Amino acid sequence: MKATVTVMLKNGVLDPQGKAIAHALGTLGFDNVNDVRAGKVIELDLNETDAGKAKAQAEDMARKLLANGVIESFRVVVE
Amino acid sequence: MKAGIVVFPGINRERDMAIALELSTGVKPRMVWHKETDLSGLDLVVIPGGFSFGDYLRCGAMAARSPVMAAIHDHAARGGYILGVCNGFQILTEAGLLPGALLRNAGLRFLSMDANLRVERADTVFTRQYQKGQVFRSVMAHGDGNFFADTATLDRLDGEGLVAFRYADDNLNGSARAIAGVFSPNLRILGMMPHPEDMVDPLMGCTDGKPLFDALAAA
């Protein structure tokens, strides 16, 4: 199964990359951008056929390595 | 004080650290490859700066989960001394041995310049050859040195006196409360972003970092 882990900085954590992207979008004339947050998408190809188990494994991986709980939150989608 | 320096792939400041330690202790430190698992006999474990494992995923994330880290956790549990500088500080936070995290510099730029640090307490094994409130010169060279922790953690660090150093002038990387280095609760682990090992010999133009290593050598 494929698990997609999306890792984002928590609300309240300064995201200078997002700010820089927002600034560049403004330079390009996109003047309706209120805010930009930048994160990571990690795709896992898991040797697992049970969606529940795949999700639990991916969440375990996110807690132990893929995300740093001090600054980041994550969500897992399995398909 | 028998010291060891942990070397991960991508670390590049281990030799400077070895020079600083040898200058103060008179003994060559042991270089410890990241696949080693036995740190017995070492009083001080130093994790130097660099870009361990290319800083993939997050700075220090891969190194913090490499084989040697179990031994470093044991060393910490035994009350052993640990110094993490720059990438070493990032690795210690990723490993959970120090609180907080190091984010991208607020201005997004890699900062390579002198940084004046203020000593927040001088009654620790790392800082006892400085005076409390003393400002000394150090060098910063990092892209991700923006110290972050939630407000409760910052209040605890302040309340328990676990802030080692603060940026004395401009806080260019945007660190919370201008924090440049923190101690563990038992004051035996120090993590700091700037490099004291860069200023230990008159040939380097400054010796402001040497008291830190002299203090460790005398421990």
Side-chain angles (χ1 to χ4, degrees):
Chain A
M1 302 208 71
K2 197 173 119 187
T4 303
V5 184
T6 304
V7 180
M8 298 295 295
L9 287 170
K10 288 178 176 172
N11 287 330
V13 177
L14 179 72
D15 178 6
Q17 268 191 106
K19 293 261 181 296
I21 294 167
H23 179 75
L25 288 173
T27 305
L28 289 173
F30 296 102
D31 53 8
N32 58 346
V33 179
N34 290 326
D35 193 24
V36 176
R37 305 283 288 169
K40 294 186 194 93
V41 174
I42 298 161
E43 293 180 347
L44 304 166
D45 185 352
L46 299 175
N47 186 16
E48 177 60 65
T49 52
D50 183 289
K53 283 183 187 165
K55 186 159 195 253
Q57 283 172 13
E59 286 173 348
D60 196 28
M61 293 175 197
R63 274 190 292 273
K64 288 183 176 153
L65 175 63
L66 306 179
N68 178 341
V70 175
I71 48 172
E72 294 170 326
S73 60
F74 66 87
R75 67 171 186 274
V76 176
V77 175
V78 172
E79 55 192 333
Chain B
M1 174 63 74
K2 198 165 174 207
I5 300 175
V6 186
V7 183
F8 299 96
I11 285 285
N12 59 12
R13 303 306 312 280
E14 73 278 10
R15 292 182 208 175
D16 309 82
M17 191 59 81
I19 289 168
L21 284 166
E22 187 176 354
L23 212 53
S24 290
T25 64
V27 184
K28 277 193 193 305
R30 178 180 144 200
M31 303 308 260
V32 181
W33 185 233
H34 69 112
K35 289 187 176 170
E36 291 186 43
T37 53
D38 183 8
L39 298 177
S40 56
L42 293 181
D43 305 302
L44 167 69
V45 173
V46 181
I47 310 181
F51 302 87
S52 56
F53 297 91
D55 276 345
Y56 289 165
L57 192 65
R58 296 178 305 276
C59 295
M62 302 298 171
R65 289 147 183 93
S66 63
V68 75
M69 288 310 293
I72 293 178
H73 279 281
D74 289 345
H75 177 78
R78 284 196 299 271
Y81 296 112
I82 302 175
L83 170 64
V85 172
C86 200
N87 202 207
F89 184 18
Q90 295 163 340
I91 292 166
L92 290 173
T93 61
E94 276 284 338
L97 286 166
L98 288 174
L102 284 309
L103 296 170
R104 183 67 51 90
N105 292 343
L108 281 173
R109 289 188 177 183
F110 190 97
L111 296 168
S112 180
M113 59 185 71
D114 286 359
N116 286 327
L117 303 184
R118 191 173 65 241
V119 178
E120 292 295 305
R121 61 184 294 176
D123 58 346
T124 76
V125 76
F126 297 95
T127 56
R128 59 193 170 167
Q129 293 201 13
Y130 295 109
Q131 304 292 319
K132 181 174 160 60
Q134 181 182 344
V135 173
F136 70 97
R137 212 170 123 199
S138 188
V139 181
M140 63 162 86
H142 58 245
D144 297 69
N146 178 353
F147 184 77
F148 173 88
D150 58 34
T151 304
T153 304
L154 292 170
D155 288 345
R156 182 176 63 79
L157 289 172
D158 274 330
E160 296 177 10
L162 299 180
V163 176
F165 308 114
R166 288 184 215 268
Y167 297 104
D169 305 324
D170 298 327
N171 177 16
L172 292 175
N173 60 24
S175 289
R177 301 187 190 178
I179 291 172
V182 295
F183 295 115
S184 61
N186 69 359
L187 303 173
R188 286 168 176 253
I189 305 176
L190 168 64
M192 60 191 295
M193 283 312 298
H195 295 267
E197 77 276 16
D198 281 12
M199 292 187 160
V200 294
D201 188 299
L203 280 174
M204 297 170 175
C206 181
T207 57
D208 277 13
K210 195 161 188 300
L212 190 147
F213 297 99
D214 287 345
L216 283 170

